[in-house]
Amino acid sequence: MDKFIINGGKSLSGTIAIGGAKNASLALMPATILAGGTYHLYNTPQLRDINTMTTLLETMGMNISQQDQSLTIDTKNINSYEAPYEHVKKMRASIYVLGPLIARFGEAKVSLPGGCAWGPRPVNLHIEGIRKLGAEIEIEAGYIIAKAKRLKGARILFDVSSVGATGNVMMAAVLAKGTTIIENAAQEPEIVQLSEFLVKMGAKIDGIGTGRLEIEGVDEMHSTDITTISDRIETGTFLIAGAIAGKIGGKIRLEKCNPNHLGALIVKLQDIGAEIKTGDDWIELTPSEKIKAVNVTTAIYPGYPTDMQAQWIALMSLAEGTSIVTDTVYFDRFTHVPELNRLGANITVKENIATVIGIKKLIGAKVMSTDLRASASLILAGLVAEGTTEVLRVYHIDRGYESVEKKLQALGANISREQGEEF
Ligand code: UD1
């Protein structure tokens, strides 16, 4: 298993380009199940999660080839409607095949994803939504078994705004007979892009980007092309890398990104004292010498993203004063905290609230990454920790950050990938 060796304290400055959004690609790829044909998905990041989705879709008979950042997907020969446990257990987003399979083929067998390293992550809203569209769904031996003749439009209210459930139910509803209304739909940019892709494929969807989607089912859809939006979480993580550098940092410029998708984070970074300039597709950050302590509460979009919570805690560990970081989306997502404390941070967690008492410096140590965003926070801390930090088990980071060490090297960081110990 690879590990990162980071010699902290190198000043960061320079320009890098942001890649395509993992979470958008993971919705766009299964959406192609909805119509037979050839699709081109441009600006697709090269990531482990994308490979996992590719393998899963290939087991269903799809033909997928990757040329640099582009995917060509041929869906003409789909011959299996099953998502086996061996793939789903690696990546929860595999459940996205449920909606399109049941909508186009009237049957689907999808393994239940189970929990996550940091807690339970239910899929009840996906199942209830698709049931409301008329599918018969049973849970058997760890699998969701869904059957339907043709789905029928329905009114659906999500008690909790869910990215995955909105995407899944929307993909089911586009081929249903009649009108579906989804209330309290997710408004995340990845869901907006999925909606736009479905419309390009021939779907009829009103209210895109709002909490109320109205979908008029169509009889047939067709293949098309799309350019994936930039990854707002990768962008945000590099912004925090610039900010955490504090007095050893210089100006960093991120290109091929969308500042409009990061409004909440940008305000918070300005609150800590960082200077931020934005253009249509770029952001520049100049760090402040002193990092002010600023509280954050995660929320659904356009609130502060839960996927940026761990990185904020790393930043706040070096702030002047005490900050409170509350995660209202996932209550148990704090596995990075004990690892950050091994670097000298002073963080306590009670329920879903972290209290971060800022300290003067972090000191390098061996730390273990436990999930994708936790890994990012440990790398950020390592960039400024005194001495050497080893981040073990970086396969988590390879799920969601493309060439993270190369991009950080381009900004001046001293980070390298090495073969790590086995566990
Ligand atoms: C997506 C993102 C993930 C991000 C999360 C929240 C992808 C592939 N992943 O995950 O990176 O952290 O959004 O922004 O896009 N919930 C239920 N029942 C359900 C589904 C969700 O109660 O059936 C709850 C969850 O426990 C959570 C909340 O809804 O509290 C939001 O989760 P959701 O938006 O569904 O997250 P994902 O789509 O799994």
Side-chain angles (χ1 to χ4, degrees):
M1 265 182 243
D2 288 357
K3 62 180 177 181
F4 284 139
I5 313 281
I6 309 168
N7 290 308
K10 300 285 174 289
S11 79
L12 293 188
S13 61
T15 301
I16 53 166
I18 297 301
K22 168 180 84 78
N23 287 349
S25 297
L26 291 178
L28 298 174
M29 292 171 72
T32 64
I33 293 172
L34 286 162
T38 304
Y39 298 76
H40 297 284
L41 271 46
Y42 302 109
N43 200 34
T44 306
Q46 292 183 335
L47 297 169
R48 224 157 57 91
D49 273 8
I50 301 298
N51 298 339
T52 305
M53 182 61 87
T54 299
T55 309
L56 169 64
L57 297 177
E58 282 175 342
T59 64
M60 297 176 184
M62 290 165 66
N63 207 319
I64 304 182
S65 59
Q66 179 154 17
Q67 310 84 27
D68 299 323
Q69 315 306 112
S70 302
L71 285 185
T72 303
I73 304 182
D74 180 343
T75 58
K76 288 193 279 290
N77 298 316
I78 296 177
N79 53 18
S80 155
Y81 314 134
E82 179 172 343
Y85 177 64
E86 59 184 289
H87 300 306
V88 180
K89 73 171 189 218
K90 287 191 198 140
M91 189 186 63
R92 301 177 45 83
S94 309
I95 195 168
Y96 267 139
V97 301
L98 176 65
L101 280 177
I102 186 79
R104 179 158 167 226
F105 299 106
E107 60 181 290
K109 181 177 175 190
V110 180
S111 169
L112 277 167
C116 199
W118 35 267
R121 290 181 69 182
V123 290
N124 58 309
L125 299 173
H126 302 237
I127 293 174
E128 283 163 22
I130 291 171
R131 254 195 198 130
K132 258 203 142 176
L133 295 175
E136 274 176 34
I137 299 189
E138 283 175 40
I139 308 295
E140 263 177 42
Y143 277 79
I144 304 166
I145 317 264
K147 288 201 171 71
K149 283 217 167 66
R150 182 172 179 194
L151 297 173
K152 290 195 193 71
R155 272 181 169 266
I156 291 161
L157 164 66
F158 288 132
D159 291 336
V160 180
S161 169
S162 157
V163 173
T166 302
N168 227 340
V169 172
M170 187 164 60
M171 288 191 275
V174 287
L175 284 177
K177 192 170 167 56
T179 308
T180 297
I181 308 232
I182 304 179
E183 304 278 7
N184 199 22
Q187 300 172 44
E188 271 70 2
E190 296 76 21
I191 288 296
V192 171
Q193 175 150 67
L194 173 63
S195 314
E196 287 167 354
F197 186 52
L198 294 172
V199 168
K200 277 190 97 183
M201 289 172 66
K204 290 189 182 157
I205 307 175
D206 272 347
I208 293 176
T210 74
R212 184 179 193 275
L213 296 172
E214 188 166 335
I215 302 159
E216 188 65 43
V218 295
D219 292 337
E220 228 180 351
M221 293 165 72
H222 52 80
S223 59
T224 186
D225 299 346
I226 194 152
T227 300
T228 310
I229 55 171
S230 59
D231 197 306
R232 63 195 167 102
I233 306 303
E234 185 193 12
T235 312
T237 303
F238 280 105
L239 286 176
I240 293 191
I244 203 171
K247 60 175 178 291
I248 57 160
K251 184 164 77 183
I252 63 159
R253 181 180 164 97
L254 308 180
E255 296 185 338
K256 290 184 73 185
C257 59
N258 187 340
N260 294 332
H261 291 166
L262 280 160
L265 175 67
I266 288 174
V267 171
K268 291 291 177 185
L269 286 169
Q270 287 168 330
D271 289 348
I272 69 157
E275 202 183 293
I276 297 202
K277 288 190 188 146
T278 59
D280 281 351
D281 63 352
W282 57 266
I283 307 179
E284 280 176 6
L285 177 142
T286 310
S288 57
E289 275 196 24
K290 291 182 178 161
I291 299 168
K292 282 192 209 134
V294 171
N295 299 343
V296 148
T297 299
T298 69
I300 56 170
Y301 189 82
Y304 186 95
T306 173
D307 284 349
M308 290 298 305
Q309 178 259 96
Q311 301 89 317
W312 193 260
I313 288 185
L315 176 63
M316 286 301 101
S317 70
L318 289 167
E320 288 206 333
T322 300
S323 56
I324 306 290
V325 179
T326 309
D327 200 324
T328 67
V329 180
Y330 293 117
F331 280 42
D332 306 319
R333 196 179 200 180
F334 292 100
T335 53
H336 42 288
V337 165
E339 298 299 306
L340 288 170
N341 284 346
R342 296 192 67 247
L343 300 174
N346 186 350
I347 310 163
T348 47
V349 177
K350 205 164 171 219
E351 291 166 354
N352 61 330
I353 300 170
T355 302
V356 191
I357 299 174
I359 53 162
K360 290 259 177 303
K361 64 176 180 192
L362 296 166
I363 304 208
K366 276 190 186 184
V367 284
M368 179 99 77
S369 92
T370 45
D371 72 64
L372 174 55
R373 308 305 170 187
S375 315
S377 78
L378 299 176
I379 292 175
L380 293 171
L383 292 175
V384 286
E386 208 175 272
T388 304
T389 298
E390 288 189 27
V391 183
L392 309 176
R393 294 196 173 181
V394 298
Y395 63 88
H396 290 293
I397 204 115
D398 295 332
R399 287 189 47 203
Y401 290 88
E402 194 174 26
S403 313
V404 68
E405 73 274 31
K406 296 202 179 88
K407 290 187 183 181
L408 286 169
Q409 284 159 3
L411 294 177
N414 184 331
I415 175 170
S416 57
R417 182 187 287 262
E418 286 183 13
Q419 193 103 47
E421 296 103 284
E422 295 298 327
F423 291 92

